[in-house]
Amino acid sequence: MNASSLLKQLETLKSIYGEGAAERKLKLLKQLGQRRLGKAGEVYRLHETLSFLHAYPDNKSILDLVERMLAGLSERSDLKRFSRALADTGIAGTDIYYSFFWVTARWLVRRFPDYLTIDWVVFDNKNKLVDLLPVLLPYSEIYSLEMLNYSPEQWLERLKGPGETDAAFLVLRFAAYKAGSLAQEKLYDEIYVPMRLASGPRTPNRTVAKFAGVPVVSQQRPLSRVRPDLRRET
């Protein structure tokens, strides 16, 4: 049986509990761990199925295997093959393209400065960035803006430090702007900088994210699909 068929079986079985379902899931998971999928959509579906079973495991054996598979997902050859097609899914091993707002951009630069870069190809507000450079640079460097005719991308390439990304340089210059946090946020968000957060060992992703420190409860019966009685539950 090929990997695509195994995946379809696991998807059908994932929300079924009891009467030997756990044993069948475990067998399918082991088989899928040794097979490679042929389409980006199938890799995505595998990720979502693993995430579901991570949230609602039948037992500890399934939970342990699912966690190992999720932890190693970024090293799968099919994930690497389709990583570009799976961008913006939040799956480990894939990049995220987004115009992060000020608070998030600053948080990312503090933690992952080497993985954040400006996506110049889709940057529509480049001229606004050039207009803001005089208030972001030291006074001694302002006159060079008038004397030299560089593109916004060329300016940041020349202004940033060795080993520093253009995104890190820009965010840190805004952070150093002596105008208060509200003004920093407003000016930064107005230029709406598109960025690429490259995949890294600890960069944010949905694959291994979990709320730690709480007991794990196995799912022993079918999930309830009825709306809860909020008065009774509280």
Side-chain angles (χ1 to χ4, degrees):
M1 189 175 296
N2 61 35
S4 180
S5 298
L6 293 171
L7 176 60
K8 289 178 182 178
Q9 286 193 33
L10 184 62
E11 288 176 311
T12 301
L13 190 61
K14 70 178 184 182
S15 57
I16 298 175
Y17 294 88
E19 299 181 1
E23 289 75 13
R24 287 183 287 162
K25 290 178 192 177
L26 198 61
K27 181 178 179 180
L28 289 168
L29 286 167
K30 289 178 179 179
Q31 290 176 306
L32 282 167
Q34 299 172 351
R35 309 286 182 88
R36 294 299 173 259
L37 297 160
K39 298 178 182 178
E42 291 176 338
V43 178
Y44 177 83
R45 285 161 47 203
L46 173 63
H47 177 272
E48 299 307 290
T49 302
L50 291 174
S51 296
F52 180 90
L53 293 173
H54 192 213
Y56 303 102
D58 302 63
N59 52 42
K60 189 176 184 303
S61 296
I62 287 182
L63 177 62
D64 290 345
L65 178 55
V66 165
E67 286 192 332
R68 289 198 300 272
M69 291 179 71
L70 287 171
L73 195 71
S74 62
E75 297 303 316
R76 285 178 60 107
S77 59
D78 47 7
L79 188 284
K80 292 180 178 180
R81 177 185 176 189
F82 299 116
S83 61
R84 187 170 298 181
L86 293 169
D88 296 329
T89 60
I91 297 176
T94 66
D95 298 341
I96 296 173
Y97 293 83
Y98 191 71
S99 296
F100 298 105
F101 291 106
W102 171 241
V103 174
T104 305
R106 186 175 55 179
W107 184 88
L108 289 171
V109 166
R110 285 174 178 170
R111 291 162 176 79
F112 315 103
D114 297 334
Y115 294 93
L116 197 66
T117 54
I118 296 176
D119 188 2
W120 292 101
V121 175
V122 296
F123 193 179
D124 295 329
N125 293 329
K126 297 175 184 178
N127 291 333
K128 287 186 178 181
L129 172 58
V130 173
D131 293 339
L132 283 174
L133 283 178
V135 301
L136 299 176
L137 297 178
Y139 184 76
S140 60
E141 298 181 7
I142 292 176
Y143 291 105
S144 61
L145 296 173
E146 301 174 359
M147 298 169 59
L148 301 173
N149 186 25
Y150 290 142
S151 69
E153 185 174 1
Q154 290 172 325
W155 270 121
L156 263 63
E157 180 63 29
R158 284 161 173 77
L159 291 168
K160 69 183 183 66
E164 185 178 37
T165 70
D166 47 14
F169 168 80
L170 183 62
V171 171
L172 292 174
R173 289 315 306 163
F174 269 96
Y177 180 44
K178 304 296 183 181
S181 59
L182 184 60
Q184 291 171 344
E185 182 174 356
K186 179 174 176 55
L187 287 173
Y188 179 84
D189 288 348
E190 279 184 353
I191 57 176
Y192 204 63
V193 186
M195 294 187 177
R196 169 184 175 244
L197 178 62
S199 170
R202 295 184 299 276
T203 50
N205 63 73
R206 296 191 296 121
T207 305
V208 297
K210 66 177 181 179
F211 185 71
V214 295
V216 176
V217 178
S218 298
Q219 188 70 31
Q220 300 294 331
R221 56 186 178 181
L223 298 173
S224 174
R225 303 297 183 181
V226 300
R227 292 179 62 85
D229 184 332
L230 297 181
R231 285 199 177 98
R232 186 177 65 185
E233 293 296 332
T234 56

mmCIF file of all heavy atoms in Angstrom, residues 94-128:
data_model
loop_
_atom_site.group_PDB
_atom_site.id
_atom_site.type_symbol
_atom_site.label_atom_id
_atom_site.label_comp_id
_atom_site.label_asym_id
_atom_site.label_seq_id
_atom_site.Cartn_x
_atom_site.Cartn_y
_atom_site.Cartn_z
ATOM 1 N N THR A 94 9.523 25.221 7.317
ATOM 2 C CA THR A 94 9.029 26.089 6.247
ATOM 3 C C THR A 94 9.133 27.542 6.680
ATOM 4 O O THR A 94 9.138 27.863 7.870
ATOM 5 C CB THR A 94 7.571 25.772 5.891
ATOM 6 O OG1 THR A 94 6.716 26.100 7.002
ATOM 7 C CG2 THR A 94 7.407 24.296 5.571
ATOM 8 N N ASP A 95 9.217 28.436 5.688
ATOM 9 C CA ASP A 95 9.365 29.863 5.963
ATOM 10 C C ASP A 95 8.001 30.542 6.123
ATOM 11 O O ASP A 95 6.976 30.032 5.652
ATOM 12 C CB ASP A 95 10.124 30.559 4.823
ATOM 13 C CG ASP A 95 11.537 30.013 4.651
ATOM 14 O OD1 ASP A 95 12.038 29.386 5.611
ATOM 15 O OD2 ASP A 95 12.115 30.225 3.572
ATOM 16 N N ILE A 96 8.034 31.696 6.771
ATOM 17 C CA ILE A 96 6.827 32.510 6.945
ATOM 18 C C ILE A 96 7.072 33.865 6.304
ATOM 19 O O ILE A 96 8.073 34.528 6.605
ATOM 20 C CB ILE A 96 6.476 32.681 8.433
ATOM 21 C CG1 ILE A 96 6.129 31.323 9.051
ATOM 22 C CG2 ILE A 96 5.310 33.663 8.610
ATOM 23 C CD1 ILE A 96 5.921 31.367 10.552
ATOM 24 N N TYR A 97 6.172 34.288 5.430
ATOM 25 C CA TYR A 97 6.248 35.591 4.776
ATOM 26 C C TYR A 97 5.092 36.446 5.305
ATOM 27 O O TYR A 97 3.921 36.087 5.149
ATOM 28 C CB TYR A 97 6.136 35.447 3.258
ATOM 29 C CG TYR A 97 7.313 34.736 2.622
ATOM 30 C CD1 TYR A 97 7.388 33.348 2.589
ATOM 31 C CD2 TYR A 97 8.361 35.463 2.055
ATOM 32 C CE1 TYR A 97 8.470 32.698 2.011
ATOM 33 C CE2 TYR A 97 9.451 34.819 1.479
ATOM 34 C CZ TYR A 97 9.491 33.442 1.462
ATOM 35 O OH TYR A 97 10.567 32.806 0.890
ATOM 36 N N TYR A 98 5.452 37.573 5.912
ATOM 37 C CA TYR A 98 4.388 38.391 6.514
ATOM 38 C C TYR A 98 4.922 39.785 6.825
ATOM 39 O O TYR A 98 6.120 39.953 7.097
ATOM 40 C CB TYR A 98 3.881 37.738 7.803
ATOM 41 C CG TYR A 98 2.619 38.353 8.338
ATOM 42 C CD1 TYR A 98 1.405 38.158 7.690
ATOM 43 C CD2 TYR A 98 2.631 39.138 9.494
ATOM 44 C CE1 TYR A 98 0.238 38.730 8.173
ATOM 45 C CE2 TYR A 98 1.474 39.706 9.982
ATOM 46 C CZ TYR A 98 0.280 39.497 9.312
ATOM 47 O OH TYR A 98 -0.873 40.062 9.791
ATOM 48 N N SER A 99 4.030 40.764 6.780
ATOM 49 C CA SER A 99 4.389 42.122 7.207
ATOM 50 C C SER A 99 4.104 42.232 8.699
ATOM 51 O O SER A 99 3.033 42.680 9.111
ATOM 52 C CB SER A 99 3.579 43.161 6.416
ATOM 53 O OG SER A 99 3.901 43.110 5.043
ATOM 54 N N PHE A 100 5.065 41.793 9.496
ATOM 55 C CA PHE A 100 4.881 41.768 10.942
ATOM 56 C C PHE A 100 4.744 43.191 11.476
ATOM 57 O O PHE A 100 5.502 44.086 11.106
ATOM 58 C CB PHE A 100 6.079 41.092 11.621
ATOM 59 C CG PHE A 100 6.259 39.664 11.212
ATOM 60 C CD1 PHE A 100 7.269 39.302 10.326
ATOM 61 C CD2 PHE A 100 5.429 38.671 11.701
ATOM 62 C CE1 PHE A 100 7.443 37.989 9.941
ATOM 63 C CE2 PHE A 100 5.598 37.348 11.319
ATOM 64 C CZ PHE A 100 6.605 37.002 10.433
ATOM 65 N N PHE A 101 3.777 43.391 12.344
ATOM 66 C CA PHE A 101 3.607 44.699 12.963
ATOM 67 C C PHE A 101 4.694 44.921 14.021
ATOM 68 O O PHE A 101 5.427 44.015 14.390
ATOM 69 C CB PHE A 101 2.198 44.826 13.547
ATOM 70 C CG PHE A 101 1.136 44.884 12.481
ATOM 71 C CD1 PHE A 101 0.304 43.795 12.235
ATOM 72 C CD2 PHE A 101 0.982 46.023 11.711
ATOM 73 C CE1 PHE A 101 -0.665 43.846 11.247
ATOM 74 C CE2 PHE A 101 0.010 46.087 10.720
ATOM 75 C CZ PHE A 101 -0.809 44.993 10.483
ATOM 76 N N TRP A 102 4.768 46.145 14.505
ATOM 77 C CA TRP A 102 5.893 46.595 15.312
ATOM 78 C C TRP A 102 6.206 45.681 16.497
ATOM 79 O O TRP A 102 7.342 45.250 16.678
ATOM 80 C CB TRP A 102 5.644 48.025 15.790
ATOM 81 C CG TRP A 102 6.632 48.508 16.804
ATOM 82 C CD1 TRP A 102 6.391 48.912 18.085
ATOM 83 C CD2 TRP A 102 8.046 48.664 16.624
ATOM 84 N NE1 TRP A 102 7.541 49.287 18.720
ATOM 85 C CE2 TRP A 102 8.578 49.142 17.835
ATOM 86 C CE3 TRP A 102 8.907 48.422 15.557
ATOM 87 C CZ2 TRP A 102 9.931 49.394 18.007
ATOM 88 C CZ3 TRP A 102 10.262 48.673 15.728
ATOM 89 C CH2 TRP A 102 10.759 49.158 16.934
ATOM 90 N N VAL A 103 5.224 45.385 17.294
ATOM 91 C CA VAL A 103 5.476 44.600 18.514
ATOM 92 C C VAL A 103 6.029 43.222 18.157
ATOM 93 O O VAL A 103 6.992 42.740 18.767
ATOM 94 C CB VAL A 103 4.193 44.479 19.350
ATOM 95 C CG1 VAL A 103 4.418 43.546 20.540
ATOM 96 C CG2 VAL A 103 3.742 45.854 19.850
ATOM 97 N N THR A 104 5.438 42.588 17.140
ATOM 98 C CA THR A 104 5.900 41.255 16.742
ATOM 99 C C THR A 104 7.279 41.321 16.092
ATOM 100 O O THR A 104 8.138 40.473 16.355
ATOM 101 C CB THR A 104 4.895 40.617 15.771
ATOM 102 O OG1 THR A 104 3.593 40.609 16.371
ATOM 103 C CG2 THR A 104 5.304 39.194 15.440
ATOM 104 N N ALA A 105 7.490 42.312 15.231
ATOM 105 C CA ALA A 105 8.793 42.446 14.568
ATOM 106 C C ALA A 105 9.908 42.636 15.590
ATOM 107 O O ALA A 105 10.985 42.031 15.477
ATOM 108 C CB ALA A 105 8.751 43.622 13.600
ATOM 109 N N ARG A 106 9.654 43.463 16.593
ATOM 110 C CA ARG A 106 10.663 43.696 17.636
ATOM 111 C C ARG A 106 10.927 42.416 18.429
ATOM 112 O O ARG A 106 12.080 42.098 18.752
ATOM 113 C CB ARG A 106 10.182 44.822 18.557
ATOM 114 C CG ARG A 106 11.208 45.253 19.593
ATOM 115 C CD ARG A 106 10.699 46.452 20.378
ATOM 116 N NE ARG A 106 9.398 46.184 20.975
ATOM 117 C CZ ARG A 106 8.742 47.058 21.737
ATOM 118 N NH1 ARG A 106 9.247 48.260 21.956
ATOM 119 N NH2 ARG A 106 7.576 46.760 22.254
ATOM 120 N N TRP A 107 9.873 41.682 18.734
ATOM 121 C CA TRP A 107 10.010 40.414 19.463
ATOM 122 C C TRP A 107 10.855 39.420 18.648
ATOM 123 O O TRP A 107 11.728 38.734 19.181
ATOM 124 C CB TRP A 107 8.626 39.834 19.746
ATOM 125 C CG TRP A 107 8.612 38.588 20.573
ATOM 126 C CD1 TRP A 107 8.570 38.490 21.931
ATOM 127 C CD2 TRP A 107 8.632 37.232 20.082
ATOM 128 N NE1 TRP A 107 8.555 37.174 22.325
ATOM 129 C CE2 TRP A 107 8.596 36.385 21.214
ATOM 130 C CE3 TRP A 107 8.663 36.672 18.811
ATOM 131 C CZ2 TRP A 107 8.600 34.993 21.100
ATOM 132 C CZ3 TRP A 107 8.673 35.289 18.694
ATOM 133 C CH2 TRP A 107 8.635 34.467 19.829
ATOM 134 N N LEU A 108 10.594 39.341 17.344
ATOM 135 C CA LEU A 108 11.338 38.410 16.488
ATOM 136 C C LEU A 108 12.803 38.790 16.375
ATOM 137 O O LEU A 108 13.685 37.922 16.399
ATOM 138 C CB LEU A 108 10.697 38.364 15.095
ATOM 139 C CG LEU A 108 9.334 37.668 15.003
ATOM 140 C CD1 LEU A 108 8.713 37.894 13.626
ATOM 141 C CD2 LEU A 108 9.464 36.173 15.285
ATOM 142 N N VAL A 109 13.086 40.083 16.260
ATOM 143 C CA VAL A 109 14.479 40.530 16.143
ATOM 144 C C VAL A 109 15.244 40.264 17.430
ATOM 145 O O VAL A 109 16.436 39.947 17.404
ATOM 146 C CB VAL A 109 14.521 42.023 15.749
ATOM 147 C CG1 VAL A 109 15.914 42.603 15.963
ATOM 148 C CG2 VAL A 109 14.104 42.192 14.300
ATOM 149 N N ARG A 110 14.585 40.369 18.550
ATOM 150 C CA ARG A 110 15.253 40.094 19.823
ATOM 151 C C ARG A 110 15.637 38.622 19.939
ATOM 152 O O ARG A 110 16.662 38.282 20.534
ATOM 153 C CB ARG A 110 14.334 40.469 20.988
ATOM 154 C CG ARG A 110 14.208 41.965 21.237
ATOM 155 C CD ARG A 110 13.183 42.234 22.312
ATOM 156 N NE ARG A 110 13.064 43.658 22.620
ATOM 157 C CZ ARG A 110 12.113 44.174 23.384
ATOM 158 N NH1 ARG A 110 11.187 43.382 23.919
ATOM 159 N NH2 ARG A 110 12.068 45.470 23.619
ATOM 160 N N ARG A 111 14.830 37.747 19.382
ATOM 161 C CA ARG A 111 15.041 36.315 19.567
ATOM 162 C C ARG A 111 15.650 35.605 18.364
ATOM 163 O O ARG A 111 16.387 34.643 18.512
ATOM 164 C CB ARG A 111 13.708 35.655 19.943
ATOM 165 C CG ARG A 111 13.231 36.068 21.334
ATOM 166 C CD ARG A 111 11.749 35.784 21.516
ATOM 167 N NE ARG A 111 11.327 36.092 22.883
ATOM 168 C CZ ARG A 111 11.079 37.334 23.317
ATOM 169 N NH1 ARG A 111 11.208 38.361 22.483
ATOM 170 N NH2 ARG A 111 10.710 37.545 24.574
ATOM 171 N N PHE A 112 15.322 36.066 17.151
ATOM 172 C CA PHE A 112 15.784 35.369 15.947
ATOM 173 C C PHE A 112 16.325 36.366 14.924
ATOM 174 O O PHE A 112 15.875 36.389 13.766
ATOM 175 C CB PHE A 112 14.632 34.560 15.329
ATOM 176 C CG PHE A 112 13.837 33.773 16.328
ATOM 177 C CD1 PHE A 112 12.587 34.216 16.751
ATOM 178 C CD2 PHE A 112 14.340 32.599 16.858
ATOM 179 C CE1 PHE A 112 11.848 33.496 17.673
ATOM 180 C CE2 PHE A 112 13.606 31.871 17.784
ATOM 181 C CZ PHE A 112 12.359 32.314 18.203
ATOM 182 N N PRO A 113 17.280 37.212 15.305
ATOM 183 C CA PRO A 113 17.742 38.275 14.387
ATOM 184 C C PRO A 113 18.356 37.762 13.097
ATOM 185 O O PRO A 113 18.284 38.434 12.065
ATOM 186 C CB PRO A 113 18.779 39.030 15.230
ATOM 187 C CG PRO A 113 19.261 38.023 16.231
ATOM 188 C CD PRO A 113 18.054 37.193 16.564
ATOM 189 N N ASP A 114 18.932 36.570 13.128
ATOM 190 C CA ASP A 114 19.608 36.051 11.942
ATOM 191 C C ASP A 114 18.645 35.442 10.929
ATOM 192 O O ASP A 114 19.042 35.146 9.792
ATOM 193 C CB ASP A 114 20.643 34.993 12.332
ATOM 194 C CG ASP A 114 21.746 35.568 13.199
ATOM 195 O OD1 ASP A 114 21.993 36.783 13.103
ATOM 196 O OD2 ASP A 114 22.350 34.810 13.982
ATOM 197 N N TYR A 115 17.388 35.237 11.323
ATOM 198 C CA TYR A 115 16.439 34.537 10.459
ATOM 199 C C TYR A 115 15.407 35.475 9.826
ATOM 200 O O TYR A 115 14.582 35.023 9.034
ATOM 201 C CB TYR A 115 15.705 33.454 11.256
ATOM 202 C CG TYR A 115 16.618 32.338 11.716
ATOM 203 C CD1 TYR A 115 17.221 32.377 12.973
ATOM 204 C CD2 TYR A 115 16.893 31.256 10.897
ATOM 205 C CE1 TYR A 115 18.079 31.371 13.391
ATOM 206 C CE2 TYR A 115 17.736 30.240 11.305
ATOM 207 C CZ TYR A 115 18.328 30.305 12.553
ATOM 208 O OH TYR A 115 19.178 29.298 12.954
ATOM 209 N N LEU A 116 15.456 36.747 10.165
ATOM 210 C CA LEU A 116 14.456 37.690 9.672
ATOM 211 C C LEU A 116 15.075 38.624 8.637
ATOM 212 O O LEU A 116 16.069 39.304 8.919
ATOM 213 C CB LEU A 116 13.894 38.506 10.852
ATOM 214 C CG LEU A 116 12.586 39.252 10.600
ATOM 215 C CD1 LEU A 116 11.441 38.262 10.378
ATOM 216 C CD2 LEU A 116 12.252 40.169 11.777
ATOM 217 N N THR A 117 14.495 38.668 7.444
ATOM 218 C CA THR A 117 14.984 39.535 6.373
ATOM 219 C C THR A 117 13.804 40.231 5.701
ATOM 220 O O THR A 117 12.656 39.774 5.794
ATOM 221 C CB THR A 117 15.764 38.745 5.312
ATOM 222 O OG1 THR A 117 14.940 37.666 4.836
ATOM 223 C CG2 THR A 117 17.053 38.174 5.874
ATOM 224 N N ILE A 118 14.103 41.336 5.020
ATOM 225 C CA ILE A 118 13.062 42.067 4.293
ATOM 226 C C ILE A 118 12.798 41.385 2.952
ATOM 227 O O ILE A 118 13.727 41.013 2.243
ATOM 228 C CB ILE A 118 13.486 43.531 4.086
ATOM 229 C CG1 ILE A 118 13.612 44.243 5.439
ATOM 230 C CG2 ILE A 118 12.472 44.266 3.194
ATOM 231 C CD1 ILE A 118 14.131 45.669 5.337
ATOM 232 N N ASP A 119 11.537 41.242 2.605
ATOM 233 C CA ASP A 119 11.151 40.663 1.325
ATOM 234 C C ASP A 119 10.992 41.809 0.319
ATOM 235 O O ASP A 119 9.907 42.322 0.083
ATOM 236 C CB ASP A 119 9.834 39.890 1.489
ATOM 237 C CG ASP A 119 9.463 39.094 0.248
ATOM 238 O OD1 ASP A 119 10.246 39.116 -0.716
ATOM 239 O OD2 ASP A 119 8.391 38.462 0.251
ATOM 240 N N TRP A 120 12.095 42.209 -0.282
ATOM 241 C CA TRP A 120 12.115 43.398 -1.138
ATOM 242 C C TRP A 120 11.251 43.254 -2.380
ATOM 243 O O TRP A 120 10.742 44.252 -2.907
ATOM 244 C CB TRP A 120 13.557 43.705 -1.554
ATOM 245 C CG TRP A 120 14.413 44.163 -0.421
ATOM 246 C CD1 TRP A 120 15.326 43.423 0.276
ATOM 247 C CD2 TRP A 120 14.429 45.467 0.169
ATOM 248 N NE1 TRP A 120 15.916 44.176 1.265
ATOM 249 C CE2 TRP A 120 15.379 45.441 1.219
ATOM 250 C CE3 TRP A 120 13.732 46.650 -0.079
ATOM 251 C CZ2 TRP A 120 15.657 46.556 2.005
ATOM 252 C CZ3 TRP A 120 14.001 47.762 0.702
ATOM 253 C CH2 TRP A 120 14.958 47.708 1.734
ATOM 254 N N VAL A 121 11.060 42.045 -2.854
ATOM 255 C CA VAL A 121 10.318 41.831 -4.105
ATOM 256 C C VAL A 121 8.889 42.354 -3.995
ATOM 257 O O VAL A 121 8.332 42.885 -4.960
ATOM 258 C CB VAL A 121 10.320 40.332 -4.472
ATOM 259 C CG1 VAL A 121 9.465 40.073 -5.703
ATOM 260 C CG2 VAL A 121 11.745 39.848 -4.714
ATOM 261 N N VAL A 122 8.283 42.229 -2.825
ATOM 262 C CA VAL A 122 6.886 42.642 -2.663
ATOM 263 C C VAL A 122 6.754 43.883 -1.774
ATOM 264 O O VAL A 122 5.660 44.203 -1.307
ATOM 265 C CB VAL A 122 6.040 41.486 -2.083
ATOM 266 C CG1 VAL A 122 5.998 40.324 -3.053
ATOM 267 C CG2 VAL A 122 6.579 41.030 -0.722
ATOM 268 N N PHE A 123 7.858 44.576 -1.555
ATOM 269 C CA PHE A 123 7.848 45.760 -0.684
ATOM 270 C C PHE A 123 7.350 46.961 -1.505
ATOM 271 O O PHE A 123 8.089 47.537 -2.301
ATOM 272 C CB PHE A 123 9.253 46.007 -0.145
ATOM 273 C CG PHE A 123 9.322 46.999 0.988
ATOM 274 C CD1 PHE A 123 10.542 47.305 1.583
ATOM 275 C CD2 PHE A 123 8.191 47.639 1.477
ATOM 276 C CE1 PHE A 123 10.629 48.212 2.622
ATOM 277 C CE2 PHE A 123 8.257 48.551 2.518
ATOM 278 C CZ PHE A 123 9.485 48.842 3.079
ATOM 279 N N ASP A 124 6.114 47.379 -1.270
ATOM 280 C CA ASP A 124 5.505 48.463 -2.047
ATOM 281 C C ASP A 124 5.814 49.853 -1.501
ATOM 282 O O ASP A 124 5.666 50.847 -2.221
ATOM 283 C CB ASP A 124 3.989 48.283 -2.107
ATOM 284 C CG ASP A 124 3.588 47.034 -2.875
ATOM 285 O OD1 ASP A 124 4.327 46.659 -3.816
ATOM 286 O OD2 ASP A 124 2.556 46.426 -2.530
ATOM 287 N N ASN A 125 6.219 49.934 -0.242
ATOM 288 C CA ASN A 125 6.423 51.244 0.393
ATOM 289 C C ASN A 125 7.903 51.589 0.563
ATOM 290 O O ASN A 125 8.298 52.203 1.552
ATOM 291 C CB ASN A 125 5.722 51.286 1.756
ATOM 292 C CG ASN A 125 4.213 51.233 1.619
ATOM 293 O OD1 ASN A 125 3.655 51.717 0.635
ATOM 294 N ND2 ASN A 125 3.545 50.635 2.588
ATOM 295 N N LYS A 126 8.712 51.216 -0.402
ATOM 296 C CA LYS A 126 10.150 51.478 -0.312
ATOM 297 C C LYS A 126 10.441 52.973 -0.220
ATOM 298 O O LYS A 126 11.334 53.392 0.532
ATOM 299 C CB LYS A 126 10.864 50.892 -1.525
ATOM 300 C CG LYS A 126 10.771 49.388 -1.654
ATOM 301 C CD LYS A 126 11.412 48.926 -2.953
ATOM 302 C CE LYS A 126 11.232 47.432 -3.145
ATOM 303 N NZ LYS A 126 11.796 46.958 -4.428
ATOM 304 N N ASN A 127 9.716 53.769 -0.970
ATOM 305 C CA ASN A 127 9.982 55.215 -0.964
ATOM 306 C C ASN A 127 9.673 55.831 0.395
ATOM 307 O O ASN A 127 10.343 56.776 0.828
ATOM 308 C CB ASN A 127 9.171 55.899 -2.056
ATOM 309 C CG ASN A 127 9.658 55.526 -3.445
ATOM 310 O OD1 ASN A 127 10.816 55.189 -3.625
ATOM 311 N ND2 ASN A 127 8.774 55.573 -4.428
ATOM 312 N N LYS A 128 8.634 55.320 1.070
ATOM 313 C CA LYS A 128 8.336 55.812 2.416
ATOM 314 C C LYS A 128 9.487 55.514 3.365
ATOM 315 O O LYS A 128 9.788 56.309 4.255
ATOM 316 C CB LYS A 128 7.047 55.176 2.940
ATOM 317 C CG LYS A 128 5.775 55.698 2.295
ATOM 318 C CD LYS A 128 4.557 55.111 2.980
ATOM 319 C CE LYS A 128 3.272 55.667 2.383
ATOM 320 N NZ LYS A 128 2.063 55.111 3.062
#
